[in-house]
Amino acid sequence: MKICITFFLLLMHFTILAQDTLKTVSTRYTWQPMPMDKYKHFKDNPKFDVDSLGFEVVDGDTIVRVSKTFIGPGFRAKVPYEYKDEAFLTKYEKVVFNRTDQAYDTTATIKYWRKPLRIYIDPELDSLNKANFIDFALSIDHRIDSLKVQFTQKPADANYFIYLQGISHEPYYAEPKLERSSNGFYIYWNGASQFTKCYVKINPAFIEKARQQVYLKKHFIRSLGYFFIHRDFDCSSYFSPCFDPIAKISESDIEIIQYHYSFGICKGTRLEDFEQSHKVAKELLLKNPNNPMRFVHYFDE
């Protein structure tokens, strides 16, 4: 779990962007221990500003002292605000909040995979389709910061399941809520808008082998953010209503997913808070283009 805070140097307070409210909180500074592997992970990423205050060895393990603002347990990472123009934000809001000219989904939040996806693929899936999907998923992983995709041979180790239904068996891990669907995905998330499990079902009685990878890729992309499909996207986009084969994911689609997994925005927020944070940030940038704005993320694991 994490908390996201917008920190503007020109302001004299911190603003928590929670799912429903904006709150001002008081802070105090100190340090807290961080395991060396986690410290290296954030230190190697130029998007994070993690300050070391020294090292110590505890029970044979190297612990890094990291500066921290206390708001509950966890450690802090400061990330620069990521500016985007209105044209891009309009596209992003369509797929994340199902925004149209007249309405939007008031319950939608910015959801994401905090922990690595550990994907298990049913052995019944055609080997060519399986190899094609693995290549596709790993190619997305390589382009997206903070998204980690792994594959496992054991269902017990997985949090993401891809399976066929109606051939020789009903997999014991099949998602009951997909029982009446010919194909689709069902995804779970926690109170912090972090995904915990996903199930992707393909029924070959309805989807022929040659088209199965089209559906697998479409469901995979949508499951990275519980993204909505939108009629304003053409058939070259995975966010369109089309199920036509796409030779290569577009740079426009990649940009949306990259932004979604950037820590330059707050996760878990609803549309009102998302728009408010951008409004405040852009007003401050207009007044002072050199204003060093940061999102401060607090992690408890």
Side-chain angles (χ1 to χ4, degrees):
M1 182 178 179
K2 72 177 185 62
I3 297 173
C4 177
I5 290 178
T6 311
F7 176 47
F8 302 113
L9 191 61
L10 292 181
L11 300 182
M12 299 304 293
H13 62 266
F14 290 87
T15 303
I16 291 183
L17 293 183
Q19 289 189 12
D20 297 306
T21 58
L22 296 173
K23 301 178 182 177
T24 301
V25 297
S26 61
T27 60
R28 64 186 178 90
Y29 294 91
T30 183
W31 65 272
Q32 97 155 25
M34 180 188 293
M36 176 61 81
D37 58 341
K38 289 187 177 180
Y39 175 75
K40 287 182 176 180
H41 170 76
F42 286 97
K43 196 66 177 176
D44 291 342
N45 190 330
K47 290 190 174 183
F48 291 94
D49 180 10
V50 182
D51 304 318
S52 168
L53 300 178
F55 301 84
E56 59 182 307
V57 177
V58 178
D59 295 331
D61 296 323
T62 301
I63 302 297
V64 185
R65 291 186 175 186
V66 179
S67 62
K68 168 202 166 182
T69 303
F70 267 104
I71 301 183
F75 60 87
R76 179 184 66 173
K78 296 181 292 185
V79 187
Y81 164 71
E82 186 167 347
Y83 174 86
K84 290 291 184 180
D85 62 28
E86 290 302 318
F88 175 85
L89 293 177
T90 297
K91 289 194 304 182
Y92 181 75
E93 289 176 2
K94 288 176 180 178
V95 299
V96 174
F97 303 108
N98 199 23
R99 178 139 200 187
T100 65
D101 293 336
Q102 293 79 30
Y104 62 91
D105 188 332
T106 58
T107 64
T109 59
I110 299 178
K111 302 177 180 69
Y112 71 113
W113 288 93
R114 170 76 178 93
K115 296 183 178 180
L117 287 75
R118 300 185 303 277
I119 302 175
Y120 174 79
I121 301 177
D122 192 305
E124 294 281 0
L125 188 70
D126 175 73
S127 59
L128 183 61
N129 284 339
K130 178 179 179 179
N132 187 287
F133 173 78
I134 290 175
D135 288 344
F136 177 77
L138 292 179
S139 73
I140 301 299
D141 168 270
H142 295 155
R143 298 286 304 274
I144 310 300
D145 290 342
S146 305
L147 175 67
K148 301 300 177 188
V149 178
Q150 303 167 353
F151 290 86
T152 178
Q153 300 297 318
K154 299 179 180 180
D157 296 335
N159 59 11
Y160 196 111
F161 302 86
I162 297 174
Y163 64 96
L164 300 180
Q165 189 162 330
I167 296 185
S168 62
H169 68 291
E170 297 290 334
Y172 72 88
Y173 50 79
E175 171 54 53
K177 294 182 175 65
L178 289 174
E179 184 177 357
R180 297 180 180 275
S181 301
S182 60
N183 87 95
F185 74 95
Y186 198 91
I187 195 163
Y188 291 87
W189 59 85
N190 60 26
S193 294
Q194 299 165 350
F195 297 126
T196 56
K197 265 184 185 178
C198 183
Y199 299 83
V200 176
K201 168 189 168 182
I202 300 292
N203 191 330
F206 296 91
I207 304 171
E208 61 185 12
K209 185 181 297 184
R211 291 187 55 77
Q212 288 174 13
Q213 62 178 276
V214 176
Y215 284 79
L216 287 172
K217 292 177 181 178
K218 186 92 168 184
H219 296 327
F220 176 73
I221 292 296
R222 290 193 61 201
S223 71
L224 295 182
Y226 198 59
F227 295 124
F228 293 91
I229 57 175
H230 204 285
R231 63 180 181 276
D232 287 352
F233 290 79
D234 63 35
C235 289
S236 66
S237 171
Y238 280 97
F239 302 120
S240 77
C242 309
F243 276 87
D244 299 334
I246 298 176
K248 182 180 179 181
I249 187 169
S250 69
E251 288 302 311
S252 177
D253 284 359
I254 286 290
E255 184 182 13
I256 287 174
I257 305 170
Q258 285 176 334
Y259 182 71
H260 191 78
Y261 277 85
S262 163
F263 282 96
I265 60 172
C266 271
K267 305 295 193 290
T269 57
R270 297 185 182 181
L271 179 62
E272 296 90 339
D273 293 334
F274 178 77
E275 291 185 326
Q276 178 65 18
S277 66
H278 280 280
K279 179 182 177 182
V280 172
K282 289 182 177 181
E283 287 175 351
L284 291 175
L285 279 175
L286 187 62
K287 295 177 181 177
N288 181 3
N290 296 319
N291 182 35
M293 295 175 294
R294 298 287 188 271
F295 281 96
V296 183
H297 298 268
Y298 289 84
F299 301 88
D300 63 5
E301 59 178 26

